[in-house]
Amino acid sequence: MCSPGEAPPGPAPAGDLPPEWETDDERMAFLFSAFKQSREVNSTEWDSKMAFWVGLVLARGRRRGAVRTCLRELQNGFERRGSVPLGLGTVLRELLRRGKLQRESDFMASVDSSWISWGVGVFILKPLKWTLSSVLGDSKIPEEDEVLIYVELLQEKAEEVYRFYQNSALSSHPVVALSELRSLCAGLCPDERTFYLLLLQLQKEKRVTILEQNGEKIVKFARGLHAKVSPMNDVDIGVYQLMQSEQLLSQKVESLSQEAEKCKEDARSACRAGKKQLALRCLKAKRRTERRIEELHSKLDAVQGILDRIYASQTDQMVFNAYQAGVGALKLSMKDVTVERAENLVDQIQELCDTQDEVAQTLAGVGINGLEMDSEELEKELDSLLQDSSKDSLELPPVPHKVPGAPISDAELEAELEQLSVSAGDLAQKTPSASSEPKTALGLNL
């Protein structure tokens, strides 16, 4: 069978099938028929049928979430009114050619999986045979029970396992036991075989390395989403052994705590029954157990202290590497920058700014037609004009309001002449020197 340990799935639900599945018998009869031996006979019909089944096969695998399938499982899933598609073998061969599917045996042979020990009877091809089939291609239609893998779905599931581990409590340790990881991913991997395939994919991507130590497999994950895992070394093995010791000590402490509590209850029961000697023996056993618990606590604290120091040293190493990379980048960015060059550059900037200021002042001091004006002299002259205008201000009679075009009477003319005579007399009294100068000048001229 293509899925050991699993019940073969039944036909696909009606909602997962195209509309013409139940309504268009003529169309479905064409799709359920076998492919022509050569695509050249009728390429349009061949491509149409191939596109229909390729999309349906890939959609079924993604809907079910299973990374493994086979020809028999697909035939059972696409059965319609007692008939199975006759061209599914050709469709699977085309998907293998496109790289959408891959034979499980070829996939396992492509990964250095010396740690694999299934116990489920998986046959792994020799690397040489796998290399030849990869280079030359394999035009053989897969057998009905030959296991195939959805390549893209396997990659997505492996990424999901990796992220699930990174967000779990196990990620605080650099390594983890394979059994613990299997228990953690029980909800993501329906069976052990799929779990191993996902680990193989992660190992192929160099995000996981696995080592078998004393009959138990140890898994080491890469630190970071896009990092590559480093090979397993003595430090990783030592950390794993310390983790195992911590786990065993914790379990022993828990067991002794329950034993001490039982001795206490037995002593209490013996006291109630009046058996004093039995109660004393139970209390002595309780004291011995408590002393052993204290000793184990001290050892557990020592182991945890060592682990904490190892984790701190790994963090310090990461910080050191970050500092070293930062120093290298800073040196590279300041490769051509020196204090002398910086001072010279600042001096040049200051010199250019001074030259610009001088040019601006020179341009601002040039007047129209090349004449230079002294601003101070202009301000003095303006002040003198303002003072003279304040002294020479005259009180003029109001302008008569006459209607334009109206005739002027003789009385109005005489009144206006009299007013002008009075204003002239006041002006002569206010400026005697100014009125005498013309007379003197007239006398001299005569």
Side-chain angles (χ1 to χ4, degrees), residues 389-427:
S389 63
S390 61
K391 291 180 180 180
D392 296 340
S393 61
L394 299 178
E395 298 180 1
L396 299 177
V399 178
H401 298 282
K402 298 296 292 180
V403 179
I408 302 175
S409 62
D410 296 338
E412 290 176 350
L413 291 175
E414 291 178 359
E416 186 176 353
L417 179 60
E418 184 179 356
Q419 188 175 1
L420 290 174
S421 301
V422 173
S423 298
D426 294 339
L427 180 60

Side-chain angles (χ1 to χ4, degrees), residues 219-240:
V219 183
K220 180 181 179 182
F221 281 81
R223 312 295 281 183
L225 294 178
H226 304 288
K228 301 297 182 182
V229 66
S230 58
M232 196 86 69
N233 51 32
D234 294 338
V235 175
D236 298 325
I237 297 175
V239 169
Y240 175 74

